[in-house]
Amino acid sequence: MSSDDLFWTTPDRIEKDGHIGPVDATQLPRFAGPATFARLPRIDEVEHTDVAVMGIPFDTGVSYRSGARFGPTHVRESSRLMRPYHPVLDTDPFGVQQVADAGDVGVNPYDIDEAMGTVERAASALTVRGSRIVTIGGDHTIALPLLRNAHRHHGKVALIHFDAHLDTWDTYFGQPYTHGTPFRRAFEEDLIDTDAVMHVGTRGPLYGKKDLDDDASFGFSHITCEAIMRRGVDDVVEQIRSVLDDRPTYLSIDIDVLDPAHAPGTGTPEAGGMTSRELLAILRGLRGTRLIGADVVEVSPAYDHAELTGIAAAHVVYDLIALMGLSTEGGAR
Ligand SMILES: N=C(N)NCCCC(=O)O
Ligand SMILES: [Zn+2]
Ligand SMILES: [Zn+2]
């Protein structure tokens, strides 16, 4: 900031190769100013956006604890400490591509159908403008309209779904569109490439064995949390990569895939989950795959403590952005 500009309205930003990055934390302390994701510019502050971070403050689809409507704000607040260089992937996620915060979509909290339509239209508007999207939820219901948009622009997509839960259940209280059902609907609507759909991190009690039989009949394979523990991260990465090949790939990450010790702030927690270290390591193993879109959902801040969940989710979003910059789909490699 110059001396005649003492306020956060026009802060200095880190710039690289013509890409406008985060507010410079050596000029304006990280804890000051409004929280866009990683203190990146808003989408209206840049001419073109390669990757848009979009918030969906929606939780009308939940079956247990509510509150994920506050997820986007919380994850942004928890993302103030992101730095511009990713040492493991050896990349500048905000320097190799233009990343911007698209803000929150104004979804109807009283009408799930209408909200899903709004999410799809918002996602489509960003896609048409040439942006790939990392969505911050919101409950998992929103994966369905996001997959509808992905399918419209890319055809059937490979889906890697990190979650404690299958989310391929049929209905809850007779309702087809809930946070426990998006991937069954996606299968029925032919949005996903059934040769390349996988759950990672599943665990916890089910309603019955039929849940697994139904899920398998939709083409899903799964790597349980227990398998991750026994087999280790590298082996799991190899299995995921073997199904992806160069297919257009969507990653959906329910933060409850993490153990409640790592992510207490979520609506349907299950014991025995992944560590955030395991999740980040598996994601980094997907470097160079054809990532067309991703979401991080189910952060419910009222149940969070010391921003544990928000910080984990913010790091996951950061890594997804880094992966997009290294992706074979429009990325800088
Ligand atoms: N957290 C998500 N997305 N789904 C959980 C649904 C679990 C249930 O109510 O049986
Ligand atoms: Zn879940
Ligand atoms: Zn889920």
Side-chain angles (χ1 to χ4, degrees):
M1 276 186 299
S2 63
S3 56
D4 58 353
D5 182 6
L6 298 173
F7 299 96
W8 52 259
T9 46
T10 52
D12 289 342
R13 292 186 171 279
I14 298 167
E15 282 193 43
K16 192 161 188 240
D17 298 335
H19 301 124
I20 303 171
V23 172
D24 187 345
T26 66
Q27 302 292 314
L28 182 69
R30 304 175 189 290
F31 40 85
T36 54
F37 184 78
R39 304 211 303 170
L40 285 161
R42 297 188 315 260
I43 201 163
D44 56 297
E45 295 176 304
V46 293
E47 273 175 19
H48 170 76
T49 304
D50 299 303
V51 176
V53 179
M54 172 174 77
I56 308 290
F58 176 83
D59 62 9
T60 312
V62 301
S63 56
Y64 194 47
R65 299 165 171 174
S66 54
R69 63 180 60 182
F70 299 106
T73 302
H74 187 63
V75 176
R76 289 190 184 98
E77 268 301 331
S78 305
S79 72
R80 291 174 175 275
L81 195 54
M82 297 295 128
R83 301 184 190 85
Y85 177 64
H86 193 309
V88 179
L89 292 174
D90 184 25
T91 185
D92 293 49
F94 312 134
V96 297
Q97 56 194 347
Q98 181 61 58
V99 189
D101 194 322
D104 286 345
V105 178
V107 285
N108 188 334
Y110 298 107
D111 186 329
I112 293 181
D113 272 328
E114 185 188 317
M116 288 198 304
T118 308
V119 171
E120 189 179 347
R121 281 201 307 284
S124 185
L126 290 169
T127 308
V128 166
R129 282 156 63 170
S131 310
R132 277 178 294 165
I133 309 167
V134 180
T135 304
I136 306 175
D139 76 49
H140 223 152
T141 312
I142 65 173
L144 180 61
L146 294 168
L147 284 169
R148 286 174 178 162
N149 177 59
H151 176 262
R152 165 127 45 93
H153 295 279
H154 297 277
K156 290 187 195 186
V157 293
L159 170 69
I160 307 298
H161 167 221
F162 293 84
D163 201 324
H165 308 102
L166 300 167
D167 289 355
T168 51
W169 285 292
D170 192 5
T171 58
Y172 284 75
F173 290 83
Q175 297 302 311
Y177 302 115
T178 76
H179 80 152
T181 57
F183 302 116
R184 191 177 190 121
R185 299 289 95 81
F187 164 75
E188 291 165 350
E189 294 180 21
D190 231 1
L191 307 178
I192 49 181
D193 177 346
T194 51
D195 290 333
V197 287
M198 189 187 281
H199 308 291
V200 182
T202 42
R203 63 188 188 275
L206 300 170
Y207 297 94
K209 195 174 179 330
K210 185 171 182 299
D211 296 354
L212 293 172
D213 297 340
D214 286 354
D215 190 73
S217 76
F218 307 147
F220 281 90
S221 53
H222 64 260
I223 305 178
T224 63
C225 261
E226 205 159 317
I228 296 169
M229 174 187 71
R230 292 185 197 287
R231 292 170 48 191
V233 161
D234 291 345
D235 202 32
V236 168
V237 165
E238 203 177 307
Q239 186 181 345
I240 298 173
R241 291 189 75 105
S242 72
V243 303
L244 290 185
D245 216 347
D246 70 341
R247 299 169 208 263
T249 299
Y250 188 90
L251 297 182
S252 186
I253 303 179
D254 184 328
I255 206 65
D256 71 29
V257 76
L258 299 180
D259 192 87
H262 291 255
T266 195
T268 39
E270 310 278 350
M274 292 171 77
T275 65
S276 44
R277 185 174 55 204
E278 285 170 330
L279 176 58
L280 291 169
I282 291 175
L283 289 176
R284 290 164 189 172
L286 303 183
R287 172 197 183 112
T289 54
R290 199 173 150 204
L291 185 55
I292 56 109
D295 62 59
V296 181
V297 297
E298 298 283 343
V299 173
S300 185
Y303 296 95
D304 204 5
H305 301 275
E307 289 189 316
L308 292 177
T309 317
I311 291 165
H315 279 267
V316 170
V317 171
Y318 179 84
D319 267 65
L320 290 169
I321 294 169
L323 283 180
M324 285 187 174
L326 299 168
S327 167
T328 50
E329 178 79 16
R333 260 158 308 275

